[in-house]
Amino acid sequence: MGVTVLQQFPTENRTGPSTIELLSKRISALGALQQGQFLVDCETFTSCAALGHQRTVHVLHNSEQPATVFSILETGQKTIPLATDGLFDLLMMKMSGFYSSKKQTKAESKGPRYEIGDFCVKLGTVTVSQNFRGVLVEVEYRPCVVPAMCWELMREFLQGFLGSSVPATPPPYLQNRMQELYTPIDTIHQYLEQFTIFRKAPGLRP
Amino acid sequence: MERDIEQLNSALNSIKTLRSNVRRVFESVSNGLRADHGEDGKENKFIHELQELLTTVNNNLRDVESAVGNLTPPPGPFNLGSTAFLGQETTQERQALYGQLVNSYKWTDKVREYSALAGNILQTNSFNKTYKTFSTTKRRKTQTSNHNVSPEVIENLITNIDRLFPDVTITASRPFLPNPVIQACLGRVLKAIIAFKGLMIEWVVVKALSESNDLWAESRYKVFKKVTENCHAAMCHFHSPMMPELAVKSFMHWFHSYNTLFSAPCKRCGNHLLGNLPPTWRDLRTLEPYHEECK
């Protein structure tokens, strides 16, 4: 598990599939080989009024860690991340009386997964309740575990195939954790951050 | 000796000329009369030709005789040493042994010659893994100080290195006493598993921090495979049997420069990545980062 950077790629009047195809061509031209598909999904539950102060639970799955369910509880003051077994999904179903899911906010990002050298690149089409919202590019540099050490290197790699759309600073979530050891839950936080932006944004044409 | 061989050569040469001229006489006799003798007095011409050839043969024979007369006869029978007994062998399948003996003698002679040449060439190359000296007392001394040191000395060396670099954490295990295998974790970048043989570094494998401590499995990441290769090169470069402690220290000093493996750009091209790898080479003296292709 290495450092992962997640960023949006502007579609600029292109459709979702054509954007993915453009990026696929670029990364293949660099020598990347496709290694299957990936999927990250996110479902959000809110507590019912009877529990008092409203809390939100985001439940996420990542195909990179297929046996784990990640959940992030937002109480208003605190954010509590939790990594659990697959059974957590069933637990949430049992608790449907207390936590109800907002069906229209189910977000997911899926698409091809590429490997190039020690990098792993994922080109995701983002949909929020089945509507196309944009393109997310995830790049993982697997040998390194501290974001501060390899951010410059990863930025160079991102610029190599995304061009000028690469920001000069790391994703906001990572900025406070540049010196810490990177763990899979950090990737989940970045996805949640992006999904929240997509949910708020007005719908794009598919 | 030199003169003998020259004379022998000239005698052999004159025998060769004699043989070829005698062959010409017989050729001419067997051919008999030929068309180029013409019609008039062809018998006379033929006889004349034959006489000329015989005169040459006579001259050649005289040459041979004088050449042989010049030769000095060997002082006595050749002394073949113990190999002479091989000639007395009566069993059929062993009678060819003498020929084989001569052949192998020629081979060993060649081997000696080539190894002397190779030795001269290799002497200029400083990457010697073994220390070679022609003084036996000296050799015995260096060997005991290298391979067969007491565990305390190695222990001291390792603790010294541990103290030298604060961001290198070293844990040692001793699967084969007294030779330790140490895991040197370089910050949060990488770890190296180093096997010692006495005071000398025997083997190095570089891996990610999350990978196993197995000495024989290489890393699954391309960048650490490359760094492992470079560590092997540096291990040989710093190797010095006369000052093994210094060799280990300079190796560790060089190895320590990998703490910027992911963060330092290449000194030559200024980029971080080349062929999707960070600069995996560190200059042996200046410790500056370079890509494999840029160094």
Side-chain angles (χ1 to χ4, degrees):
Chain A
M1 179 66 211
V3 178
T4 305
V5 171
L6 187 69
Q7 79 151 96
Q8 277 188 44
F9 185 73
T11 47
E12 289 166 354
N13 299 327
R14 284 182 296 260
T15 60
S18 70
T19 311
I20 296 288
E21 198 183 330
L22 172 83
L23 290 176
S24 299
K25 267 187 194 161
R26 284 193 197 167
I27 194 80
S28 302
L30 289 174
L33 294 174
Q34 191 177 343
Q35 307 279 342
Q37 304 278 328
F38 86 100
L39 168 70
V40 178
D41 64 43
C42 169
E43 206 170 340
T44 301
F45 298 84
T46 43
S47 63
C48 64
L51 285 176
H53 184 72
Q54 200 191 37
R55 298 182 185 91
T56 315
V57 179
H58 305 280
V59 178
L60 293 103
H61 302 88
N62 188 349
S63 57
E64 205 73 6
Q65 286 87 25
T68 311
V69 176
F70 300 95
S71 51
I72 294 167
L73 173 68
E74 286 175 6
T75 60
Q77 299 100 34
K78 268 198 286 185
T79 310
I80 302 161
L82 189 66
T84 48
D85 276 358
L87 282 175
F88 191 78
D89 283 334
L90 302 175
L91 192 67
M92 285 309 287
M93 279 164 69
K94 286 273 185 208
M95 294 202 296
S96 55
F98 306 104
Y99 282 98
S100 55
S101 109
K102 291 195 273 184
K103 272 295 168 212
Q104 67 277 25
T105 58
K106 188 171 176 11
E108 62 178 29
S109 168
K110 66 174 170 184
R113 176 184 185 277
Y114 291 88
E115 285 186 8
I116 169 168
D118 289 328
F119 290 92
C120 180
V121 179
K122 295 172 191 170
L123 309 173
T125 313
V126 181
T127 53
V128 177
S129 61
Q130 309 300 322
N131 297 317
F132 172 74
R133 287 300 174 92
V135 171
L136 275 179
V137 178
E138 181 196 321
V139 170
E140 181 185 347
Y141 186 58
R142 290 175 299 172
C144 187
V145 284
V146 181
M149 288 197 286
C150 64
W151 161 248
E152 285 298 319
L153 178 149
M154 292 188 76
R155 202 165 78 90
E156 204 177 289
F157 179 80
L158 281 162
Q159 275 172 341
F161 82 107
L162 297 182
S164 54
S165 69
V166 180
T169 51
Y173 173 79
L174 276 187
Q175 278 174 19
N176 301 324
R177 296 168 177 79
M178 290 300 273
Q179 291 297 341
E180 284 165 36
L181 281 187
Y182 196 90
T183 54
I185 197 85
D186 295 320
T187 310
I188 293 300
H189 272 290
Q190 287 190 60
Y191 266 104
L192 182 63
E193 199 173 68
Q194 292 291 348
F195 284 150
T196 314
I197 295 169
F198 278 122
R199 277 172 184 163
K200 285 177 186 156
L204 292 166
R205 65 191 179 84
Chain B
M1 189 67 195
E2 197 67 23
R3 232 185 91 245
D4 280 357
I5 288 173
E6 231 169 70
Q7 283 175 351
L8 199 64
N9 254 332
S10 71
L12 284 171
N13 271 333
S14 49
I15 287 176
K16 211 160 69 183
T17 343
L18 175 67
R19 284 174 62 114
S20 91
N21 282 331
V22 167
R23 208 182 118 256
R24 276 177 65 196
V25 172
F26 284 113
E27 209 174 73
S28 159
V29 169
S30 64
N31 280 342
L33 289 174
R34 290 192 310 272
D36 59 309
H37 287 128
E39 278 301 313
D40 310 328
K42 47 188 174 188
E43 284 88 2
N44 279 341
K45 271 186 189 167
F46 176 61
I47 290 169
H48 190 67
E49 185 191 286
L50 214 54
Q51 267 175 348
E52 253 174 40
L53 285 174
L54 285 171
T55 324
T56 342
V57 168
N58 246 338
N59 288 342
N60 290 151
L61 191 61
R62 212 174 304 129
D63 286 350
V64 170
E65 271 170 351
S66 67
V68 169
N70 279 339
L71 287 180
T72 41
F78 286 112
N79 183 16
L80 295 178
S82 323
T83 57
F85 298 120
L86 279 176
Q88 296 170 357
E89 189 62 63
T90 48
T91 17
Q92 196 76 39
E93 65 263 26
R94 290 204 192 153
Q95 275 177 356
L97 275 182
Y98 185 77
Q100 288 177 6
L101 184 79
V102 172
N103 268 340
S104 53
Y105 177 78
K106 276 182 190 163
W107 266 99
T108 36
D109 214 38
K110 269 187 200 166
V111 167
R112 245 182 75 94
E113 193 182 325
Y114 289 153
S115 55
L117 279 175
N120 274 338
I121 293 164
L122 290 177
Q123 246 169 20
T124 54
N125 187 346
S126 60
F127 295 104
N128 283 336
K129 183 80 177 151
T130 50
Y131 179 69
K132 187 184 67 183
T133 171
F134 295 106
S135 134
T136 44
T137 51
K138 220 173 179 184
R139 179 164 54 197
R140 203 163 296 137
K141 213 196 288 169
T142 49
Q143 271 185 346
T144 48
S145 71
N146 268 329
H147 299 274
N148 206 5
V149 285
S150 64
E152 295 83 50
V153 177
I154 306 176
E155 198 62 55
N156 277 341
L157 177 74
I158 293 170
T159 20
N160 275 345
I161 294 168
D162 205 3
R163 256 184 242 138
L164 202 60
F165 307 106
D167 51 354
V168 179
T169 39
I170 292 181
T171 40
S173 60
R174 293 168 179 277
F176 317 108
L177 272 169
N179 299 325
V181 175
I182 65 171
Q183 282 112 47
C185 296
L186 183 54
R188 292 181 291 181
V189 181
L190 51 84
K191 71 174 170 199
I193 297 125
I194 304 171
F196 280 85
K197 171 85 180 151
L199 276 180
M200 297 192 295
I201 298 176
E202 184 79 357
W203 186 250
V204 185
V205 189
V206 174
K207 292 186 179 194
L209 289 170
S210 57
E211 288 183 286
S212 77
N213 284 336
D214 184 3
L215 187 57
W216 305 114
E218 60 177 358
S219 172
R220 85 181 89 119
Y221 302 114
K222 293 199 171 58
V223 52
F224 294 131
K225 284 184 196 169
K226 200 49 111 186
V227 173
T228 305
E229 274 175 31
N230 290 336
C231 279
H232 289 170
M235 173 180 93
C236 293
H237 173 86
F238 289 120
H239 181 78
S240 121
M242 296 303 285
M243 293 171 286
E245 288 195 30
L246 183 70
V248 174
K249 269 187 191 153
S250 14
F251 175 81
M252 289 310 288
H253 195 65
W254 176 85
F255 172 74
H256 179 250
S257 65
Y258 274 115
N259 62 353
T260 57
L261 177 64
F262 299 118
S263 48
C266 169
K267 200 80 185 166
R268 177 96 174 277
C269 67
N271 291 334
H272 281 280
L273 291 170
L274 186 70
N276 300 312
L277 286 174
T280 46
W281 174 252
R282 294 290 182 274
D283 191 274
L284 293 166
R285 260 184 303 148
T286 58
L287 306 180
E288 282 163 346
Y290 289 98
H291 286 119
E292 180 91 345
E293 293 84 350
C294 292
K295 66 181 179 189

